[in-house]
């Protein structure tokens, strides 16, 4: 019952999850992928993800529709950071997957809990940071972070913690966890509330606020050009997703579709647009400064 090992060992015979995972990971800066397409279904037919998913991803990449951003281009990053320092022995033991079946069934409230493979389809606890910050609803099949759900931006985990806090740092507020507890809070639930409150406040500094059950990334191409990538994050429940985009940049801007190359609407500062992301798919938009 190693449910959450499906990405490694089971037959994912449709390309949509691969297309979305490759795109979202690229938009988080990934530049190296290893893809195994040798699996076959029960009838012996080879996996078709190369033609249905990977090919479309490579087409977008080759034509420059998407590209891995440099860290300074990523404008979905919340000014709140999560330092991961001195992880406990229990966290290190349970956070690495594997095939162990421990005796303990009941866990206390943890910042990141129930990470052993045998939790499979268990719902992620409401107080769990991975649910609160990254939209993880089940322990299994959470491959694309649902960071648009809260509209707060991406909470960046920093292994080992920030080494310094220079004046040019994008992070103005930090919290610390050892995988179990959260700094400055009597309980995990209190710590999660503190983090989300700080992220709500920090969202005012983001160039755009995106809300919807999607992964998103806002990439700064230039002072007058921002790219917004929207990906349906539903692996078990793909669906059409209504997404609202609030422009917080000063001046007049135009919102356009980067793939179809047509203008959607004017989007001046302070205004909101609603767009649809098709089920199991993605949208690549452009926010261009107008006259």
């Amino acid at each position: 019952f190693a449910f959450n090992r499906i990405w490694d060992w089971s037959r994912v015979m449709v390309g949509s999850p691969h297309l979305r995972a490759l795109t979202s990971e690229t938009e988080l800066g990934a530049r190296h992928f290893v893809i195994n397409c040798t699996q076959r279904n029960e009838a012996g037919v080879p996996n078709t993800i190369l033609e249905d998913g990977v090919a479309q991803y490579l087409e977008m990449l080759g034509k420059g529709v998407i590209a891995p951003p440099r860290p300074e281009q990523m404008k979905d990053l919340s000014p709140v950071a999560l330092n991961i320092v001195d992880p406990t022995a229990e966290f290190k033991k349970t956070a690495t997957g594997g095939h162990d079946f421990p005796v303990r069934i009941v866990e206390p409230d943890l910042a990141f809990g129930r990470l052993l493979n045998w939790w499979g389809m268990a719902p992620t606890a409401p107080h769990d940071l991975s649910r609160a910050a990254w939209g993880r609803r089940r322990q299994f099949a959470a491959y694309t972070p649902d960071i648009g759900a809260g509209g707060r931006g991406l909470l960046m985990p920093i292994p080992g913690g920030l080494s310094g806090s220079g004046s040019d740092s994008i992070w103005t507020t930090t919290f610390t966890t050892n995988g179990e507890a959260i700094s400055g809070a009597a309980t995990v639930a209190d710590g999660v509330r503190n983090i989300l409150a700080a992220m709500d406040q920090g969202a005012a500094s983001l160039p755009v606020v995106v809300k919807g059950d999607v992964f998103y990334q806002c990439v700064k191409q230039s002072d007058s050009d921002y790219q917004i990538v929207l990906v349906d994050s539903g692996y078990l429940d793909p669906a059409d997703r209504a997404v609202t985009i609030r422009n917080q940049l000063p001046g007049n801007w135009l919102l356009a579709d980067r793939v179809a190359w047509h203008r959607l609407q004017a989007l001046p500062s302070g205004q909101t647009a609603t767009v649809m992301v098709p089920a199991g798919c993605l949208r690549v938009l452009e926010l261009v400064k107008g006259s």
Side-chain angles (χ1 to χ4, degrees):
F1 295 145
F3 289 107
N4 59 354
R5 306 274 303 175
I6 187 172
W7 198 255
D8 301 291
W9 304 113
S10 294
R11 298 185 181 97
V12 184
M13 298 295 289
V14 293
S16 167
H18 295 269
L19 170 64
R20 290 180 284 156
L22 289 167
T23 300
S24 59
E25 289 161 13
T26 297
E27 293 301 320
L28 290 172
R31 288 172 167 79
H32 187 107
F33 297 93
V34 177
I35 302 172
N36 183 347
C37 302
T38 61
Q39 295 171 327
R40 299 171 181 268
N41 66 11
E42 287 77 2
V45 177
N47 197 319
T48 60
I49 66 166
L50 282 177
E51 294 80 19
D52 177 18
V54 177
Q56 291 76 17
Y57 164 77
L58 292 174
E59 182 84 0
M60 292 192 297
L61 195 68
K63 290 187 174 181
V65 176
I66 61 172
R70 299 185 303 275
E72 65 271 16
Q73 289 181 288
M74 296 169 61
K75 298 303 178 182
D76 68 334
L77 301 181
S78 170
V80 179
L82 181 68
N83 293 325
I84 302 180
V85 179
D86 298 326
T88 66
E90 182 72 9
F91 177 73
K92 287 189 287 187
K93 177 182 177 182
T94 63
T96 55
H99 295 87
D100 296 328
F101 292 85
V103 175
R104 191 182 75 187
I105 297 177
V106 178
E107 280 190 342
D109 291 345
L110 304 174
F112 298 107
R114 299 193 296 180
L115 294 175
L116 288 165
N117 65 302
W118 74 323
W119 284 106
M121 286 294 293
T124 305
H127 62 267
D128 194 295
L129 256 176
S130 64
R131 179 164 189 156
W134 305 310
R136 180 175 183 165
R137 293 180 175 86
R138 289 185 181 272
Q139 298 303 86
F140 155 73
Y143 305 113
T144 303
D146 189 3
I147 62 173
R152 303 179 178 95
L154 175 61
L155 175 69
M156 183 63 71
I158 312 292
L162 292 171
S163 58
S165 55
S167 59
D168 59 343
S169 174
I170 67 169
W171 293 295
T172 58
T173 305
T174 59
F175 293 85
T176 300
T177 181
N178 58 6
E180 297 190 26
I182 299 174
S183 61
T187 67
V188 169
D190 287 342
V192 169
R193 281 191 288 268
N194 293 341
I195 291 173
L196 295 183
M199 292 180 69
D200 283 332
Q201 185 175 1
S205 66
L206 300 175
V208 298
V209 171
V210 174
K211 291 188 177 183
D213 290 330
V214 294
F215 165 87
Y216 85 93
Q217 175 65 281
C218 178
V219 179
K220 183 177 181 180
Q221 311 278 23
S222 70
D223 288 340
S224 59
D225 188 351
Y226 288 76
Q227 184 185 82
I228 303 172
V229 179
L230 308 169
V231 181
D232 173 18
S233 58
Y235 180 84
L236 298 175
D237 60 341
D240 294 343
R241 310 291 183 180
V243 179
T244 62
I245 302 171
R246 177 180 172 82
N247 179 21
Q248 300 191 145
L249 294 162
N252 295 315
W253 295 77
L254 301 175
L255 187 65
D257 189 300
R258 187 171 171 83
V259 177
W261 292 113
H262 69 267
R263 171 179 163 180
L264 297 178
Q265 66 180 80
L267 193 63
S269 180
Q271 297 299 305
T272 297
T274 300
V275 298
M276 295 298 298
V277 178
C281 203
L282 54 92
R283 297 285 299 274
V284 183
L285 307 179
E286 197 99 12
L287 190 61
V288 181
K289 194 166 188 178
S291 57

